[in-house]
Amino acid sequence: SLELSRDSNDGLDFHQRLLLGITVKINDNKLLDIYTTHLSLSEKARIRTLPEIGKYINNEINDNNDKIGAVLMGDFNCEFDYLDPEKDILSNSEFGFVDVWKSKGKCDDNNNHVSIYSYNYNNKWNQEIDS
């Protein structure tokens, strides 16, 4: 688990936030990391903590050749690139995460969600993970 940074001067960043994860063994003894988090209501806090999450997950994956990637899910309290592409921090070139919901065609031509919100990410070798 990772304790995310917190700004006690930010009135919307009043709860301590965490990244919780497990590693599961799948076919051929390969490993997949599964993470969940509940991000702050504060936009400043999300912009600050998403890179913390991206770095942590990438370090965990890159430190073990048996890991094929990771899935990140949870309540992000935002819609990332559906509102502002600059806030899609995890999909940038530094972290390279993929929004599975979009890649599975669950958005219309304007990147609007068809029915429900889901932010699941995978990375490392761009392997497909069914949502």
Side-chain angles (χ1 to χ4, degrees):
S1 70
L2 172 67
E3 188 172 295
L4 301 173
S5 65
R6 196 170 153 236
D7 180 0
S8 59
N9 295 318
D10 184 344
L12 292 176
D13 194 20
F14 46 87
H15 293 296
Q16 179 61 60
R17 304 297 175 152
L18 302 171
L19 174 70
L20 300 174
I22 63 168
T23 300
V24 295
K25 187 183 287 187
I26 56 175
N27 349 5
D28 301 325
N29 294 321
K30 293 294 183 181
L31 304 174
L32 178 67
D33 285 346
I34 310 290
Y35 295 96
T36 187
T37 191
H38 187 162
L39 296 181
S40 177
L41 293 172
S42 165
E43 184 175 310
K44 288 179 187 178
R46 291 190 303 269
I47 289 170
R48 183 184 66 250
T49 57
L50 282 168
E52 294 172 13
I53 290 170
K55 287 175 189 170
Y56 181 87
I57 291 174
N58 281 343
N59 287 340
E60 289 293 311
I61 292 170
N62 292 330
D63 286 347
N64 187 329
N65 287 333
D66 290 332
K67 290 187 179 180
I68 63 166
V71 175
L72 170 62
M73 57 192 128
D75 183 345
F76 293 101
N77 279 314
C78 65
E79 296 182 6
F80 294 124
D81 62 334
Y82 303 103
L83 296 178
D84 184 351
E86 292 177 9
K87 294 183 183 132
D88 190 11
I89 294 167
L90 294 176
S91 292
N92 71 26
S93 60
E94 181 179 359
F95 303 114
F97 286 47
V98 175
D99 185 331
V100 175
W101 194 253
K102 280 177 64 177
S103 72
K104 290 292 188 179
K106 302 297 184 184
C107 300
D108 64 21
D109 291 338
N110 296 318
N111 287 331
N112 294 315
H113 294 282
V114 175
S115 58
I116 61 171
Y117 299 124
S118 175
Y119 301 102
N120 301 309
Y121 290 87
N122 72 324
N123 64 2
K124 196 170 185 182
W125 308 308
N126 290 323
Q127 293 200 358
E128 200 167 291
I129 297 174
D130 287 332
S131 55

